[in-house]
Amino acid sequence: MLRQWSVQASGEPEPEPAGEELWEQEMERLCSSQEPVRVLPYAMVDKRFIRLREPEGVKTSCWQQWRRRQQTAGRRLGEAGALYEIGLGPRLGASGPTCCSPQASSARNPSPTSPSFASCLLLNLLTLLLTTASSCCPLTWLRPPDRGPALNFSECLAHGGNSAPRAHLNPAFNNTYLFYGAYRAGPESSSIYSIRLAYLLSPLACLLLCFCGILRMVKGLPQKMFLGQDYRSPLSAKVFSSWDFCIQGQEAATIKKHEISNEFKVELEEGRHLLMVQHQTRAQRACHLLTYLRVNILIGLLVVGAISAIFWATKYSQDNKEVPVLFLLLQYLPPGVHRPGQLSGSLLFVFLVQLENYPPNTEVNLTLIWAVSYLLCFGRNKTSCESYGYNACDYQCWENSVGVELYKLSIFNFLLTVAFTFLVSLPRRLLVERFSGRFWAWLDREEFLLPKNVLDIVEGQTVTWMGLFYCPLLPLLNSIFVFLTFYIKKYTLLRNSRASPRPFRASSSIFFFQLVLILGLLLAAVPLGYVVSSIRSSWDCGLFTNYSAPWQVVPELVALRLPPPSQRILHYLGSHAFSFPLLILLSLVLTVCVSQSQASARAIRGLRKQLVWQVQEKWHLVDDLSRLISEPGSGDSLGPESPHSRGSRPRSFCPGFPCPGSPGPRAPRPEPSLEDPAGLCGVRVPVRSCRFPSGSEL
Amino acid sequence: MGGSGSRLSKELLVEYQDLTFLTKQEILLAHRRFCELLPQEHRSVEESLQARVSLEQILSLPELKANPFKERICRVFSTSPTRDSLSFEDFLDLLSVFSDTATPDIKSHYAFRIFDFDDDGTLNREDLSQLVNCLTGEGEDTRLSASEMKQLIDNVSNGAGLGWAGPGSRREGLGFGLKLSLSQILEESDIDRDGTINLSEFQHVISRSPDFASSFKIVL
């Protein structure tokens, strides 16, 4: 029957008898197995033929069909749910969720910074909501009393203070909720809502909320850190499974190709770097260490120099307030010094880090660390009013001044971003496109430096966090700025920039961005804690005029409102007797976490060794098999599971391709293919002996 | 030519459901899309089952247009002697393998055939080079350089002929990234060290990659 089919189909000469026999055996095996025909990798024609030869046929019953439909529906529901969870549900459009894998969807949204912008915006909005709900709205409801008596100027002169006018602050804004000074409340009592407590605790609660929010967003350390520097992820699986067949548009395909290419290049470059490091001689390593030290000392000096410059600039601007002409300029001198300092600093950091020949990811991450630590040192100075030599008499409401500075910094940063985009990048792009000459070709478009752009976000967010106590509505301003900055940066990225030639791994950089954001948050919380607990508020404005430090509201309220047992409990919680056991407990927890991670690392090393042993076992088996098979007379005992000879099959079966499990190409080998039955479904059995790869090579 | 005239018979639908992984709606949709590729006067049911559509027309489908492997896919599923046209049943086979209910085994089998550019039954170095070039695209900035390609794939002279030689000139001779190149694709996948990847080795590698099945999917 098989012969008839083949003759009818294509009129070919009869196949060889041995191949025919093998094919018959294969057919019998297929017919006797209980697999449904659809799982066989043959063309429809062949599958129909096989089905007809089955005695009863494995026809799917209605019950099986129904089950299949339910499973399909369940799987599709699960996939759609997964897509909605990663936020892509509403954007899928006409193709529907079932067609797209998450890979295809992410290929349409390739920006690595868009999650950063989204998370920042969310944090700002949450902060704003909390502040408004706890302080502004109750304040508006409860209608606080009028301003208290102003500080007597004669007292002030008696203190020998400099009676410079407070002309830098526009009186119109002074009394709005934008600033600390506008918040007023009567003396504490036991029944009404304590605005002081709400105002005090809301920045702390916001910082805690942001901290938890960022922790939740952090997806975990990149795998590389656990698996060690010399671990390389299996590239072969990546090569074979990286293309997403769901991709339909040409642009999405181009983006995906870029993504794949970048990934390969990053992997290969890291591998090359690793090899280079491993082959360094001792002298080279010493040289490398010296360069490293030199570069880091240089960077440290740069940071110190920049901070002193800003300090000098601020002091100069404060000392020279009475010169009206330069007044406006001096107002913006501190941010004006800070910003170019940061800009040149970032570029210099990138250059210096490249000198050290770090692999690409480390470069990006190090640049982020250095620039943010520079920024934070600057920021810390701002909130400590003694460092500026603010005299309490000069500034009847110094908190407002600090708030003003922070608003100015925020606005200045945003204006600078806008100005840079439209006054530098855009003309640069237009000029480079219009003119062609060696200079313009050298200038080229602006390179999109990811660290610098991510830093802008972190900087703005840190300033907002520092200002939560002095300018409660700063998150609102920052939200608007973040929103607009996203679209401006997107415009710059798409129109005015060219891609950075240095590939980097976006996933670990995003993790690092989140880490740096947490660092910024913690370091913004430190001056806030210091101010709240130790600095005396100004006499004239704000909620804490009668307290030695804002934190003193809490003990007062505790004494006023809570029953004595609760007061005792709270006293105990705040005392040393509680903090020492708490510290000990936290140390224990930390020890447990550290030892757990070390144990995991050991387990991973053990598993890697096991993997090597398993591969060696495979080699043993292959070697044994080759010995067994090459012995004469043993070939018959191993029945082939699948036919292997191309010529033995009629043309209608899978034309152009050998059957599944066939051995490889017709390479010039001494033994003919018939004596080499692929008993193990396609494993080529080399007759020569094989040497096992050693553990270090894997 | 009307709506009822171009519907497949019930028996045929049941048979197709048995022979493929597609549901009834998917088969009907596939038939409709296939008929759209035929000229107007040949769109009846009988003719659509016998007709063959040229490769260029299939490649114009939006689901395949942007795929770098589109020619290979069509050639693999074509049952014509010259492998340049697809019948309706070939088209159904294609959609069945790429549907989301197909087993990972059959997907990996056909993936192997698609990646085997020279149709010799194994993935050798040239196949892998062509595969990587398809993945990275033709642009100057995305294409891997020759040395990078070598680093990624190259293992042939060491792995194919002589087994693993000791450290020596052979390794240094092939360049800087050689030790790494020995640890790349062929080393990871080629179990029997013959310099090529055959079907079972390929399926073994693919089984370690969990998102293969979800990305090897085409749905109309």
Side-chain angles (χ1 to χ4, degrees), chain A residues 496-508:
Chain A
N496 299 341
S497 310
R498 59 186 162 91
S500 167
R502 300 197 65 91
F504 65 94
R505 200 185 289 275
S507 57
S508 66

Side-chain angles (χ1 to χ4, degrees), chain A residues 128-424:
Chain A
L128 182 68
L129 192 68
L130 192 62
T131 316
T132 326
S134 63
S135 310
C136 300
C137 296
L139 202 61
T140 328
W141 259 346
L142 296 173
R143 271 186 244 134
D146 293 334
R147 284 174 76 110
L151 187 61
N152 203 338
F153 263 105
S154 58
E155 281 180 28
C156 195
L157 283 172
H159 284 262
N162 188 355
S163 60
R166 285 166 41 201
H168 65 283
L169 187 59
N170 189 350
F173 280 119
N174 201 9
N175 288 331
T176 60
Y177 283 161
L178 288 174
F179 293 103
Y180 168 90
Y183 292 80
R184 300 269 163 189
E188 292 299 327
S189 74
S190 55
S191 55
I192 56 174
Y193 179 77
S194 168
I195 293 184
R196 282 198 185 81
L197 193 65
Y199 188 88
L200 181 69
L201 292 183
S202 65
L204 302 175
C206 291
L207 286 177
L208 196 64
L209 192 72
C210 292
F211 184 67
C212 297
I214 299 173
L215 277 186
R216 212 173 158 266
M217 279 190 293
V218 170
K219 292 288 182 276
L221 289 169
Q223 266 192 337
K224 277 203 157 294
M225 294 178 71
F226 278 134
L227 298 171
Q229 280 300 331
D230 57 343
Y231 176 75
R232 274 165 287 114
S233 49
L235 261 186
S236 49
K238 226 180 264 193
V239 167
F240 294 137
S241 57
S242 57
W243 185 261
D244 189 346
F245 284 74
C246 282
I247 289 176
Q248 290 193 16
Q250 197 58 44
E251 297 131 9
T254 316
I255 290 170
K256 183 73 180 173
K257 286 181 190 172
H258 275 265
E259 204 182 297
I260 292 175
S261 165
N262 280 342
E263 201 175 330
F264 287 164
K265 286 187 179 171
V266 165
E267 289 267 2
L268 292 173
E269 191 162 334
E270 286 187 357
R272 272 199 294 269
H273 179 87
L274 186 69
L275 187 66
M276 201 167 63
V277 162
Q278 279 176 352
H279 283 164
Q280 269 180 344
T281 61
R282 198 166 289 190
Q284 279 176 331
R285 242 177 252 167
C287 197
H288 186 81
L289 204 62
L290 271 177
T291 322
Y292 174 73
L293 275 173
R294 202 170 51 213
V295 167
N296 278 308
I297 289 173
L298 199 62
I299 292 178
L301 285 175
L302 196 75
V303 170
V304 165
I307 291 170
S308 341
I310 289 166
F311 185 72
W312 170 86
T314 314
K315 213 163 162 45
Y316 185 77
S317 81
Q318 299 298 337
D319 290 342
N320 292 307
K321 278 203 180 323
E322 50 269 6
V323 183
V325 175
L326 293 177
F327 190 65
L328 198 60
L329 195 65
L330 286 175
Q331 284 310 300
Y332 283 93
L333 185 61
V337 166
H338 154 72
R339 191 60 187 207
Q342 195 215 7
L343 205 67
S344 53
S346 318
L347 292 172
L348 205 59
F349 295 151
V350 169
F351 172 69
L352 288 172
V353 165
Q354 276 182 17
L355 274 185
E356 297 186 37
N357 275 331
Y358 284 121
N361 288 327
T362 324
E363 274 184 45
V364 171
N365 297 339
L366 276 179
T367 315
L368 276 175
I369 294 182
W370 277 112
V372 170
S373 58
Y374 160 83
L375 159 77
L376 289 170
C377 290
F378 160 73
R380 238 200 129 273
N381 283 336
K382 275 275 179 207
T383 54
S384 164
C385 79
E386 268 90 31
S387 67
Y388 286 124
Y390 282 155
N391 194 337
C393 287
D394 291 352
Y395 296 97
Q396 291 168 346
C397 201
W398 60 267
E399 290 95 346
N400 275 4
S401 320
V402 174
V404 164
E405 295 285 327
L406 289 171
Y407 274 118
K408 275 194 297 196
L409 190 60
S410 200
I411 294 172
F412 187 77
N413 280 338
F414 177 68
L415 289 177
L416 205 65
T417 310
V418 172
F420 201 79
T421 305
F422 291 109
L423 296 179
V424 175

Side-chain angles (χ1 to χ4, degrees), chain A residues 48 60 75 261 265 619 682, chain B residues 15 89 100 141-142 193 198:
Chain A
R48 206 179 264 130
T60 43
R75 189 174 327 134
S261 165
K265 286 187 179 171
W619 275 70
Chain B
E15 188 188 9
E89 295 189 344
D100 51 1
D141 50 345
T142 53
R193 305 290 170 217
N198 60 22

Side-chain angles (χ1 to χ4, degrees), chain B residues 150 154 157-158 169-178 181:
Chain B
K150 202 171 204 181
D154 188 19
S157 16
N158 268 322
S169 60
R170 186 157 265 267
R171 282 200 182 170
E172 268 84 79
L174 279 179
F176 195 61
L178 182 58
S181 72

Side-chain angles (χ1 to χ4, degrees), chain B residues 17 19 27 42 51 65 113 118 121 143 150 189 197 201:
Chain B
Q17 280 184 286
L19 295 176
I27 296 172
H42 296 305
K65 221 180 350 190
R113 290 175 62 176
D118 48 10
R143 232 184 142 92
K150 202 171 204 181
S189 327
I197 301 175
E201 289 164 353

